[in-house]
Amino acid sequence: MTAGQRDRWDSSLYDDRHSFVWRAGAGLVELLSPKTGERILDLGCGTGHLTATIAAAGAEVTGLDSSISMIAQARQNFPGLKFSLADARNFRFDEPFDAVFSNAALHWIHDAGAVVKCVVAALRPGGRFVLEMGVQGNVGRIRHAIEAALTEAGRSSKCPWFYPSAGEYASLLESHGFEVRMAQTFDRWTKLEHPERGLREWFEMFAGTYFEGVPAAERENMLRTIEERLHPELYRDGFWWADYRRLRVESVLPFHDEHWSDSRAF
Ligand code: BEZ
């Protein structure tokens, strides 16, 4: 979870009401398949739950996040693990990692090229980059309803998220030297935890920047309108659902050509 300049994260609310974010990431850890003794970086680790899952497999893992609140909560949740406060667009470590892992963080960062450059620099040759993020069309219904309400009110509606297509992201990785072994997109409708306030809590946690500078009363009216419009599509069986669409990628940084010509000699 990477927040850019200001820390807008409420990490206890995140753990309390939005644990689906890291619970849904368990399958991604399986794809990573961490091994005992491997050095792994969890990029955008949030409150550290998946960092701990990776550590439980015997890997030597470091969690990295740019949010002070998330890192503080991660350290409190898992005092035995290493966490580092840093920006995913600008970090470096002295020792290379065997793998970089990232769940539900990269869609917060528009400068994806800067992130991939740092990932390349952090990996050893042969190292892997395994990630999941929102893909093109992610939360499309929610986004459309928010942006329509803001536009109707004569306000700007700048999307805070970066949702590339699978092709765009794979090309970006390839342009930085990765071999993309798997790039998969899929729908994952996500049940929000509170039966009545679920969508409202999701907005508060994740969509706040859309409404910055909107006075409280106007914001409340807007949120009510958005909820009314989304209710027929996103309220089912007594709960709100978010129309998530995911991109999952497994990629590897190949060994250098010199290495291959060396090894072919054997
Ligand atoms: C996501 O995980 O796809 C997501 C999270 C927050 C806002 C938008 C999307």
Side-chain angles (χ1 to χ4, degrees), residues 40-251:
I40 296 182
L41 178 66
D42 180 4
L43 189 58
C45 63
T47 50
H49 291 271
L50 293 179
T51 323
T53 307
I54 295 167
E60 192 194 310
V61 60
T62 300
L64 179 153
D65 206 290
S66 69
S67 159
I68 295 172
S69 152
M70 290 290 188
I71 287 290
Q73 186 71 45
R75 287 184 176 139
Q76 192 178 316
N77 288 345
F78 305 104
L81 299 184
K82 276 189 263 177
F83 293 99
S84 174
L85 181 68
D87 188 325
R89 296 165 301 184
N90 183 17
F91 67 89
R92 53 165 287 127
F93 288 86
D94 291 336
E95 265 192 74
F97 289 95
D98 297 297
V100 175
F101 168 89
S102 185
N103 178 57
L106 300 178
H107 47 240
W108 291 103
I109 308 171
H110 286 267
D111 191 356
V115 177
V116 175
K117 259 190 207 158
C118 285
V119 172
V120 169
L123 281 172
R124 67 164 171 80
R128 54 210 198 277
F129 183 24
V130 175
L131 67 101
E132 185 175 312
M133 66 191 291
V135 72
Q136 198 171 59
N138 191 36
V139 291
R141 293 168 182 80
I142 294 178
R143 206 180 138 184
H144 180 261
I146 294 175
E147 292 177 7
L150 286 162
T151 305
E152 285 160 21
R155 296 191 169 274
S156 76
S157 59
K158 189 166 174 293
C159 177
W161 307 306
F162 165 65
Y163 298 142
S165 68
E168 270 174 84
Y169 207 79
S171 299
L172 176 72
L173 290 172
E174 284 179 357
S175 73
H176 286 83
F178 279 100
E179 176 190 320
V180 176
R181 297 223 164 141
M182 191 275 291
Q184 181 190 23
T185 66
F186 56 98
D187 292 349
R188 188 175 60 218
W189 281 61
T190 299
K191 188 179 181 182
L192 304 179
E193 289 186 19
H194 193 281
E196 290 89 35
R197 289 189 49 79
L199 191 60
R200 196 57 82 97
E201 289 180 350
W202 190 93
F203 287 147
E204 282 162 13
M205 188 79 206
F206 298 119
T209 53
Y210 265 122
F211 302 100
E212 272 168 7
V214 180
E218 186 183 345
R219 177 190 294 218
E220 179 54 33
N221 279 337
M222 250 182 222
L223 290 176
R224 244 188 254 138
T225 304
I226 294 167
E227 280 179 328
E228 278 167 21
R229 289 178 181 171
L230 288 174
H231 195 274
E233 282 195 282
L234 299 189
Y235 196 82
R236 293 187 190 163
D237 305 326
F239 283 91
W240 285 98
W241 294 73
D243 52 340
Y244 279 17
R245 302 200 67 234
R246 319 307 289 165
L247 169 62
R248 224 173 233 200
V249 177
E250 182 189 10
S251 58

